[in-house]
Amino acid sequence: MLMKKKIELNFYCRSNHWPKRMQKIKKIVKKILSMNNLSFEKKNFYFLNLIFVDDKKIKNINKIYRNKNKSTDVITFVKLLSLTKKENEVYCDIFFSAETIKKEAKKNSINFYDHITQLIVHCFLHVIGYDHKKNSEFLKMKKKEEKILMKLNIKSPYVL
């Protein structure tokens, strides 16, 4: 599916926890991508794969690639390929686990779809270059994330 801003977006459902949720999630993703708050570089071509898995699969991915033997809500992989001085391709695989997201939403008394929206926004910020390895980076990313969530009428996850 080709979208504005040179973004190719693909959805993959690899768990029986996701099918009934996919239609709504696709609408959420399209709404987020249509917002002007996410600065996808016009010189880049983005290939976004959103992969919806279960806890077992994400735990395995987390163990192999992050050396953490536990499940998690989401894992984002981003690879930038420089084609020319003016053009890049950005390949992204983003894995989501419904079971963990559902547990977190319940634990924090937030709606499942609000929580996954926050996670998608967070991942897309990683895709366009934001990070949170240092506190200063975290604060910058948090501010941007909260601004986008506010436009979506979703409370900040940082003030639970």
Side-chain angles (χ1 to χ4, degrees), residues 5 43 86 100 106 108:
K5 300 181 185 177
K43 67 179 182 174
K86 294 182 180 181
T100 300
K106 185 176 181 180
N108 295 312

Side-chain angles (χ1 to χ4, degrees), residues 66-159:
R66 298 180 67 228
N67 205 26
K68 295 182 180 183
N69 192 20
K70 63 179 186 172
S71 59
T72 187
D73 51 7
V74 63
I75 298 176
T76 305
F77 297 98
V78 180
K79 179 68 178 169
L80 173 72
L81 295 178
S82 296
L83 301 175
T84 67
K85 287 183 180 181
K86 294 182 180 181
E87 261 183 21
N88 298 307
E89 289 183 346
V90 183
Y91 293 89
C92 310
D93 289 331
I94 306 171
F95 294 85
F96 298 89
S97 173
E99 295 150 292
T100 300
I101 294 169
K102 188 176 177 182
K103 285 178 213 166
E104 290 174 351
K106 185 176 181 180
K107 177 184 167 191
N108 295 312
S109 301
I110 49 179
N111 175 281
F112 176 88
Y113 292 103
D114 287 353
H115 187 43
I116 196 160
T117 300
Q118 180 266 320
L119 294 171
I120 293 166
V121 168
H122 187 89
C123 292
F124 285 174
L125 287 171
H126 280 303
V127 169
I128 62 174
Y130 284 83
D131 211 336
H132 45 73
K133 291 178 183 170
K134 297 178 187 171
N135 192 49
S136 60
E137 293 172 341
F138 167 77
L139 293 173
K140 187 177 177 183
M141 186 173 180
K142 174 183 171 251
K143 183 177 178 181
K144 184 75 167 176
E145 188 174 330
E146 288 177 322
K147 186 176 180 179
I148 294 167
L149 292 173
M150 188 171 71
K151 289 194 176 215
L152 295 166
N153 294 317
I154 296 174
K155 292 180 184 176
S156 169
Y158 302 103
V159 289

